[in-house]
Amino acid sequence: MNKEEIVQEIEELKLKKNALILAHYYVDGDLQDVADFVGDSYALAKKAVASNKDRIVFCGVKFMGESAKLLNPDKRVFLVEKNAFCPMADMIHGSDIEEYKKQYEDLYVVTYINSTAETKAHSDVCVTSSNAVKIVKKIQAKNILLCPDKNLGYFIKSRLEDSLSEKNIIIHDGYCPVHEEFSKEVLEKAKKDHPNALVLIHPESNPSCYPLADYIGSTSGILKTARESDCQEFIIGTERGILYQLQKDSPDKKFYFTDLKQTCEDMKKLTLEKLRDCLRDDLNEVFLDEETMEKASVPLKRMLELAE
Ligand code: 13P
Ligand code: SF4
């Protein structure tokens, strides 16, 4: 079966099953093309809630499908690939959060959406890279835990300005293996090769990159900055899958990556064939136990409220 035939089959199955297909910018371009909506983690969570379809099929890693299920308990949610995980999501567990709580009595737990449902169930609020600073600024508590990503944690802390003196920010030491590799040295080399390019990086990047960055933000923020800028060249400090949308938005602009691989292997496990099989055979449905559903949905719903 060729690509066009598989796409045709997906379109038919999508209608038959009344499914909404959501995709993250890091998955293969073919998947982005058949999706009903492509976005960053925050936009995808909002789309999942706004949908009136019977089922949601997620082209992304496990925490994204789990989050869609937590926000839509009455809908069936499916993952295109059940073995696509975000390694950072497993760098903290509920038991670690409970240990932190023993150390700080009034601890307010801010958990990146890149986390398991089990971890979310121990958290006060979830954030994504596009709403984290806004949400943390609204928190009244003195002791605030930012987890699991240390780099997003440092980024949030660097943007808190005045309110920082009243807050004690505790940062867990998880990280994204893809973004952690971006360092000052790597970006300096890229800047030397492309001196006229603007540097756009994701906040999961190592903080040593901040001084060299012209923009730090979510995948959607990087896309918006590249689209709206008068500059014609950009060094991109995030996963390579974003190139598909960058080129779609601005076909005449030039986008460079660094000498690093910049590839999220888990996102690359997804294929058109797997999406077709998932739709056709109802594969990889997301199930969460009742207690986790109840507890883990609270911080996600709070995120949607506070990000408004
Ligand atoms: P965004 O929310 O910015 O799309 O980031 C998700 C992610 O996994 C980044 O590595
Ligand atoms: Fe997780 Fe990093 Fe992949 Fe994003 S790029 S899904 S943070 S491993």
Side-chain angles (χ1 to χ4, degrees):
M1 210 179 232
N2 64 31
K3 188 171 120 183
E4 285 67 34
E5 287 168 334
I6 298 172
V7 169
Q8 178 64 31
E9 214 182 331
I10 290 171
E11 296 296 348
E12 285 165 15
L13 285 163
K14 191 163 83 173
L15 285 178
K16 187 174 155 204
K17 305 254 169 143
N18 195 24
L20 174 78
I21 301 178
L22 298 177
H24 189 266
Y25 293 119
Y26 294 164
V27 297
D28 192 80
D30 288 341
L31 289 164
Q32 295 188 39
D33 279 345
V34 291
D36 296 297
F37 181 77
V38 188
D40 69 6
S41 307
Y42 178 46
L44 288 167
K46 283 203 296 187
K47 269 281 170 213
V49 175
S51 162
N52 54 10
K53 303 274 179 179
D54 296 332
R55 67 173 67 192
I56 296 168
V57 178
F58 227 107
C59 304
V61 288
K62 189 177 176 193
F63 79 81
M64 296 177 171
E66 277 188 353
S67 300
K69 182 67 189 175
L70 288 168
L71 290 167
N72 296 278
D74 300 330
K75 285 192 189 117
R76 297 182 75 182
V77 177
F78 296 82
L79 284 159
V80 169
E81 167 59 64
K82 69 175 185 305
N83 292 317
F85 304 104
C86 169
M88 186 209 294
D90 283 315
M91 293 185 188
I92 193 160
H93 301 102
S95 55
D96 302 313
I97 294 181
E98 292 310 315
E99 284 304 313
Y100 279 114
K101 284 182 185 170
K102 282 183 198 159
Q103 291 175 50
Y104 305 94
E105 226 174 65
D106 69 333
L107 190 68
Y108 197 93
V109 181
V110 179
T111 300
Y112 194 21
I113 199 166
N114 296 39
S115 54
T116 63
E118 189 265 342
T119 296
K120 288 182 177 78
H122 294 259
S123 309
D124 293 300
V125 70
C126 288
V127 295
T128 74
S129 54
S130 58
N131 59 33
V133 175
K134 185 176 181 182
I135 289 176
V136 175
K137 277 184 177 170
K138 290 181 181 173
I139 298 171
Q140 297 298 324
K142 172 156 176 52
N143 294 312
I144 300 174
L145 172 67
L146 305 178
C147 69
D149 186 15
K150 64 178 174 187
N151 294 328
L152 181 68
Y154 289 128
F155 174 71
I156 297 167
K157 195 173 173 183
S158 75
R159 300 290 162 115
L160 288 180
E161 303 140 16
D162 300 349
S163 49
L164 198 58
S165 59
E166 302 126 42
K167 296 192 200 299
N168 176 31
I169 305 289
I170 302 125
I171 296 175
H172 187 71
D173 66 356
Y175 60 90
C176 161
V178 181
H179 291 85
E180 167 67 2
E181 285 191 340
F182 294 118
S183 61
K184 185 170 170 270
E185 292 70 30
V186 167
L187 279 187
E188 271 170 357
K189 161 85 171 53
K191 276 240 36 128
K192 215 169 156 197
D193 295 342
H194 309 289
N196 298 322
L198 287 188
V199 178
L200 316 182
I201 67 168
H202 196 276
E204 289 173 11
S205 307
N206 191 294
S208 67
C209 300
Y210 295 179
L212 290 158
D214 297 291
Y215 173 79
I216 310 174
S218 72
T219 50
S220 293
I222 289 174
L223 284 158
K224 183 170 186 284
T225 307
R227 208 167 44 235
E228 294 177 357
S229 170
D230 291 333
C231 187
Q232 295 301 306
E233 295 177 58
F234 304 88
I235 294 163
I236 302 298
T238 191
E239 210 274 345
R240 279 177 193 268
I242 200 171
L243 180 64
Y244 189 70
Q245 190 64 45
L246 284 165
Q247 286 178 330
K248 244 182 160 177
D249 287 351
S250 316
D252 299 327
K253 294 184 179 176
K254 289 200 173 79
F255 301 101
Y256 308 113
F257 290 87
T258 66
D259 291 343
L260 299 170
K261 212 165 161 218
Q262 294 190 223
T263 302
C264 177
E265 302 295 347
D266 284 76
M267 289 281 190
K268 304 306 168 207
K269 289 178 182 168
L270 283 72
T271 63
L272 271 182
E273 285 84 351
K274 287 181 184 175
L275 170 58
R276 186 263 326 268
D277 295 351
C278 170
L279 273 164
R280 187 190 58 203
D281 303 331
D282 301 341
L283 301 178
N284 314 328
E285 183 161 1
V286 178
F287 293 108
L288 293 165
D289 66 72
E290 216 172 295
E291 194 187 346
T292 306
M293 282 295 292
E294 203 178 301
K295 290 187 175 161
S297 58
V298 173
L300 271 175
K301 286 182 192 153
R302 195 167 286 144
M303 171 186 84
L304 295 179
E305 279 161 32
L306 292 177
E308 277 313 305

